Amino acid sequence: MLKILLCCSAGMSTSLLVTKMQAAAKEQGIECSIQAMAEGEVKNHEDEMDVLLLGPQVRFLLKKMKEKYEPKGIPVDIIPTVDYGTMNGAKVLALALKMAGK
């Protein structure tokens, strides 16, 4: 099962996106776990993620997160602003799958 973690400033604004991504995964028959949390909580969930996606509002964390998690085999990227703004769960799920090589 693919474990996807979304990171934003407070973990709140990505909650709707998580719901949309879960619906898209269910529609496509993809088994995955998707969580959203604040940046400060991510370090406590390293073993619960295969992919880390950052909300556009925390794009400044990209370099730091890549340096910390990519050596551990966890790809990190930013959710495209348009997909985030339109809460396009299917597109963000597709990005996560691509990052995980699935």
Side-chain angles (χ1 to χ4, degrees), residues 21-50:
M21 289 174 70
Q22 289 169 333
K26 187 175 180 180
E27 269 180 30
Q28 298 173 40
I30 297 168
E31 195 175 318
C32 61
S33 163
I34 309 167
Q35 297 182 74
M37 63 189 58
E39 179 257 331
E41 296 177 48
V42 173
K43 65 182 174 285
N44 300 323
H45 299 271
E46 286 182 20
D47 58 338
E48 298 170 28
M49 64 178 162
D50 297 314

Side-chain angles (χ1 to χ4, degrees), residues 9-73:
S9 52
M12 300 303 254
S13 57
T14 51
S15 295
L16 178 59
L17 185 55
V18 167
T19 303
K20 300 275 188 169
M21 289 174 70
Q22 289 169 333
K26 187 175 180 180
E27 269 180 30
Q28 298 173 40
I30 297 168
E31 195 175 318
C32 61
S33 163
I34 309 167
Q35 297 182 74
M37 63 189 58
E39 179 257 331
E41 296 177 48
V42 173
K43 65 182 174 285
N44 300 323
H45 299 271
E46 286 182 20
D47 58 338
E48 298 170 28
M49 64 178 162
D50 297 314
V51 172
L52 176 60
L53 286 167
L54 307 178
Q57 70 276 36
V58 292
R59 68 176 54 248
F60 63 91
L61 295 171
L62 183 64
K63 184 175 187 249
K64 172 185 163 185
M65 294 296 202
K66 278 184 171 279
E67 288 171 354
K68 184 170 185 172
Y69 297 111
E70 287 191 342
K72 297 175 182 183

